[in-house]
Amino acid sequence: MNALSTNKQSWDEAAERFFGRNPLPEYGPMAPSEDDLHLFGDVTNLKVLDIGCGSGHSLQYMRERKAAELCGLDLSSKQIEQATTLLEDSAQPVRLFESPMEVNPGVPLDYFDIVYSIYAIGWTTNLPKTLENINSYLKQGGIFVFSWEHPLYNRVGNKEGVLTLDHSYHDEGTYDHVAWSSTAIMQQFKVSTYINALVDHGFQIEKVIEDACWSEKDVQRHANRWYTYEKAKAIPTTLIIKCRKL
């Protein structure tokens, strides 16, 4: 079974557990939110595409902010079913594609004002092809914003309150995420790899954000989870990048 088939099966099994987990305005656990960063600006009457749309809650956020058109793409049939149900009463046009991000299943080209991806880009099996696709979906001058687990975060372990470097930051490639109950194959890239790949595929970098922030509620919510306050104090959980199509 290849990585895409493995991940599709894993996400179909996990879809209910991740229903509505960390959607916009959140960018990730214990990370700044869109309410803090204002990366999108006013989305009124804009066309938006969500890469790895999951249960559709980030698209719902865009709908509430009066985006003109909503479009989403996700590998998991269960996630697409959930997003369809969530968004079925939308007054705006909504198009959802069940597809890996490495493939264009019929998404229009040079069409969208905004493409974004919230905690999904690291699931790609082919980062260059995914970025090539995303660039092709955007109008010239269009914005691409994505967040993903910071590349340092899973390199460091927390053993009885002591942080230890468990893996080299320089090691890149596929890995089976230990926090998943079933096999889930993700991609490890350095921050510089993401930035250089974006530049190579026709994007101008505007913001790179590695900040961490938390409230008492966040600390309690993430107690004994993969993302913990103890690690977040020393290592950012989330990498956020905003760029623009040249």
Side-chain angles (χ1 to χ4, degrees), residues 79-154:
Q79 297 274 50
I80 291 296
E81 288 173 12
Q82 290 179 340
T84 299
T85 300
L86 183 74
L87 299 166
E88 62 185 355
D89 295 329
S90 175
Q92 298 101 319
V94 181
R95 287 176 288 178
L96 297 173
F97 296 92
E98 181 185 332
S99 173
M101 63 185 78
E102 300 86 347
V103 176
N104 182 353
V107 177
L109 305 181
D110 301 309
Y111 187 76
F112 292 95
D113 302 287
I114 295 172
V115 178
Y116 64 88
S117 181
I118 308 303
Y119 256 67
I121 202 76
W123 290 90
T124 182
T125 61
N126 188 331
L127 182 63
K129 182 59 180 175
T130 295
L131 295 180
E132 178 185 322
N133 288 344
I134 290 170
N135 186 279
S136 72
Y137 303 148
L138 281 165
K139 298 175 180 177
Q140 186 173 4
I143 291 170
F144 175 43
V145 177
F146 78 87
S147 66
W148 179 244
E149 181 178 279
H150 195 284
L152 266 176
Y153 193 82
N154 72 4

Side-chain angles (χ1 to χ4, degrees), residues 210-225:
E210 302 174 286
D211 298 337
C213 59
W214 49 78
S215 63
E216 184 62 32
K217 181 180 177 181
D218 291 323
V219 173
Q220 294 174 359
R221 182 170 59 158
H222 292 285
N224 301 317
R225 289 187 174 182

Side-chain angles (χ1 to χ4, degrees), residues 4 7 13 18 38 57 65 82 100 116 119 125 144 157 171 176 192 197 208 213 233 242 246:
L4 288 175
N7 288 345
E13 293 172 358
F18 284 91
H38 309 291
H57 285 79
R65 276 142 191 82
Q82 290 179 340
Y116 64 88
Y119 256 67
T125 61
F144 175 43
D171 291 343
D176 183 0
S192 59
V208 178
C213 59
K233 286 189 299 181
K242 175 185 177 180
L246 294 173

